[in-house]
């Protein structure tokens, strides 16, 4: 009942399918002409030849035609399919040829001697690395990190540290004084001691790294600018044995050497009493080498028990509290640890030098 009569189909449906075929042919020609790369080629293939594409759609309509009609329209549709396939294949070939030609052109113009940009990889400066290592050690022992100004006044750099204006110890540290009276570039990080002790009452445990300046002729082991770290511990019942244990522990950690020993000699620094100098056994040899200048010992730390005058001038009662302080040169530690032979390399900005610590 539902079936359409053959004559009607030939009259209406065959005509519309034929028209449709013509339309699709034109659409296909336009779509193929617009293809510029593989992705658009694939999109056109799917739109026309895909399982749900335009041609498959017509094939579906073919089912409802009579056998005679199929005999006429079927070959037309098959021809359309073949043509579409051929056109897309031809297009694919053209695309490949174009790509190949492009590659050949690039190869032809490729200059093997052309400059190649070498990407520079950044790394933290050796200062930053050593200071971070030291900070790790002292933070693990309960110390805080403290900071102070590089442009300092004479009071914190000298007076508060038991170095009055006429004290000969001022000569040992030829200073850069600023035009503004009483102001200078700090010669030592010990200036932070007094600043921190003024701020709070003990217990005080600080690690203070920073740049210091001294007016000296430069050579392989001296520079007018270098980096120090000052360590200060003030509390009740602090003695020289605490000082020695702390020095021993952190030197072993920093040089990553569990058998490192320390040796103590008397030293003079106006802000400590007694004043000491600590040497470490050479981490690189047991019989003498070029690093320890064949002595087996390396001078590393200035240290001592904080002078009662220093505690007093910062408002801390020396009859209740005592403490120790250390000073060390960061460059010296790095030079020994990494075998660096010239202190001036540290702020030379030489990439070859800096890259070794990446
Ligand atoms: N500030 C001293 C210096 O620069 C080092 C030092 C610090 C010595 C603390 C003793 C105690 O030489």
């Amino acid at each position: 009942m539902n079936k359409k009569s053959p004559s009607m189909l030939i009259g209406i449906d065959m005509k519309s399918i034929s028209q449709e075929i013509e339309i699709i042919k034109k659409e296909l020609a336009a779509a193929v002409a617009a293809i510029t790369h593989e992705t658009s080629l694939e999109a056109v293939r799917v739109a026309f030849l895909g399982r749900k594409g335009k041609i498959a759609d017509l094939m579906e309509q073919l089912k409802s035609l009579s056998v005679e009609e199929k005999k006429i329209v079927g070959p037309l549709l098959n021809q359309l399919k073949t043509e579409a396939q051929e056109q897309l294949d031809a297009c694919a070939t053209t695309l490949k040829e174009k790509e190949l030609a492009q590659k050949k052109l690039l190869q032809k113009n490729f200059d093997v001697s052309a400059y190649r940009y070498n990407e520079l990889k950044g790394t933290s400066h050796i200062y930053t690395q050593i200071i971070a290592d030291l900070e790790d050690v002292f933070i693990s022992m309960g110390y805080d990190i403290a900071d102070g100004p590089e442009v300092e006044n004479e009071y914190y750099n000298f007076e508060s540290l038991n170095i009055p204006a006429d004290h000969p110890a001022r000569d040992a540290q030829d200073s850069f004084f600023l035009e503004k009276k009483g102001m200078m570039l700090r010669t030592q990080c010990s200036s932070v001691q007094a600043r921190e002790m003024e701020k709070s009452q003990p217990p005080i445990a600080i690690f203070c790294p920073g740049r210091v300046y001294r007016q000296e002729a430069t050579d392989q082991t001296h520079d007018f600018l270098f980096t120090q770290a000052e360590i200060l511990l003030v509390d009740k019942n602090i003695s020289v044995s605490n000082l020695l244990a702390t020095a021993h522990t952190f030197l072993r950690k920093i040089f990553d050497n569990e058998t490192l020993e320390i040796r103590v000699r008397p030293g003079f620094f106006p802000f400590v009493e007694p004043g000491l100098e600590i040497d470490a056994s050479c981490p690189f040899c047991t019989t003498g080498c070029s690093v320890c200048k064949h002595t087996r010992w390396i001078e590393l730390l200035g240290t001592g028990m904080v002078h009662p005058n220093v505690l007093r001038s910062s408002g801390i009662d020396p009859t209740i509290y005592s403490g120790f302080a250390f000073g060390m040169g960061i460059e010296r530690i790095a030079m020994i640890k990494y075998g660096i032979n010239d202190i001036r390399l540290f702020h030379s900005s030489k990439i070859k030098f800096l890259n070794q610590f990446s």
Side-chain angles (χ1 to χ4, degrees):
M1 280 264 277
N2 278 341
K3 261 201 153 186
K4 298 163 189 167
S5 78
S7 59
M8 195 182 105
L9 282 171
I10 291 171
I12 299 167
D13 294 342
M14 259 188 61
K15 198 173 160 220
S16 62
I17 291 182
S18 312
Q19 281 170 350
E20 192 72 18
I21 289 175
E22 285 313 308
I23 293 170
I24 290 181
K25 273 188 185 171
K26 279 185 190 148
E27 284 179 347
L28 179 70
V32 168
I35 291 174
T36 50
H37 50 77
E38 296 262 353
T39 14
S40 46
L41 171 71
E42 189 50 29
V44 174
R45 191 188 296 281
V46 171
F48 287 87
L49 288 170
R51 276 197 297 127
K52 289 178 182 164
K54 289 176 192 276
I55 296 174
D57 205 2
L58 283 186
M59 289 288 192
E60 196 57 35
Q61 291 182 38
L62 189 71
K63 281 184 195 163
S64 54
L65 297 183
S66 68
V67 179
E68 300 92 295
E69 290 166 321
K70 278 181 185 156
K71 275 186 186 158
I72 301 166
V73 184
L76 290 178
L77 264 177
N78 278 337
Q79 197 193 339
L80 172 67
K81 200 173 169 182
T82 319
E83 275 178 20
Q85 191 65 57
E86 283 170 353
Q87 282 185 43
L88 288 169
D89 286 348
C91 183
T93 315
T94 322
L95 278 182
K96 284 227 169 72
E97 281 169 355
K98 270 192 193 161
E99 197 186 323
L100 210 68
Q102 187 76 17
K103 259 191 193 160
K104 274 193 182 154
L105 196 71
L106 280 176
Q107 273 169 4
K108 200 177 141 201
N109 294 334
F110 184 72
D111 180 2
V112 282
S113 65
Y115 170 75
R116 180 171 167 264
Y117 175 68
N118 271 325
E119 204 183 320
L120 291 176
K121 288 205 189 89
T123 169
S124 49
H125 195 279
I126 178 68
Y127 280 140
T128 317
Q129 295 182 31
I130 292 270
I131 291 173
D133 287 351
L134 283 163
E135 280 178 353
D136 279 353
V137 173
F138 283 97
I139 287 171
S140 76
M141 292 199 258
Y143 285 69
D144 286 330
I145 310 296
D147 199 10
E150 286 176 35
V151 174
E152 188 51 284
N153 60 44
E154 287 183 53
Y155 174 76
Y156 288 112
N157 199 80
F158 292 129
E159 265 99 45
S160 69
L161 296 170
N162 203 27
I163 314 173
D166 56 353
H167 198 292
R170 287 205 186 187
D171 293 344
Q173 296 181 0
D174 287 331
S175 318
F176 287 106
F177 289 100
L178 305 189
E179 276 176 11
K180 187 160 185 229
K181 207 173 171 329
M183 297 300 286
M184 60 185 297
L185 298 180
R186 72 175 171 199
T187 60
Q188 50 187 348
C189 274
S190 305
S191 54
V192 186
Q193 270 191 41
R195 287 183 170 275
E196 288 297 313
M197 286 193 290
E198 265 182 14
K199 276 193 226 156
S200 51
Q201 283 295 304
I204 297 170
I206 52 161
F207 172 80
C208 163
R211 228 173 290 172
V212 299
Y213 303 81
R214 291 186 194 175
Q215 208 171 30
E216 21 192 352
T218 60
D219 61 23
Q220 271 183 288
T221 49
H222 297 90
D223 210 346
F224 61 88
L225 150 70
F226 59 102
T227 321
Q228 270 193 339
E230 175 95 3
I231 293 121
L232 172 74
L233 178 77
V234 184
D235 203 353
K236 285 180 184 155
N237 300 321
I238 300 297
S239 71
V240 174
S241 19
N242 301 117
L243 179 162
L244 296 178
T246 308
H248 206 175
T249 309
F250 95 80
L251 288 174
R252 281 186 170 188
K253 284 207 175 150
I254 277 303
F255 289 105
D256 205 8
N257 185 328
E258 276 309 307
T259 57
L260 182 142
E261 291 302 332
I262 56 169
R263 163 175 103 166
V264 184
R265 291 177 289 113
F268 174 72
F269 305 95
F271 37 91
V272 285
E273 178 58 38
L276 308 169
E277 300 215 19
I278 292 184
D279 304 340
S281 61
C282 181
F284 304 107
C285 72
T286 48
T287 51
C289 67
S290 58
V291 179
C292 62
K293 300 196 183 100
H294 303 279
T295 62
R296 287 207 47 236
W297 294 98
I298 299 175
E299 285 177 32
L300 279 182
L301 307 172
T303 180
M305 300 303 291
V306 182
H307 198 290
N309 286 352
V310 175
L311 292 173
R312 215 174 285 120
S313 71
S314 307
I316 293 173
D317 187 345
T319 60
I320 305 175
Y321 297 107
S322 54
F324 62 72
F326 288 108
M328 68 179 123
I330 301 284
E331 286 85 353
R332 183 150 171 75
I333 304 256
M335 286 170 85
I336 291 162
K337 195 165 168 175
Y338 297 112
I340 301 164
N341 61 8
D342 194 330
I343 192 171
R344 293 166 294 191
L345 283 167
F346 285 86
H347 56 90
S348 64
S349 299
K350 284 195 175 137
I351 297 288
K352 261 192 179 170
F353 169 71
L354 296 172
N355 268 350
Q356 297 175 83
F357 307 102
S358 54

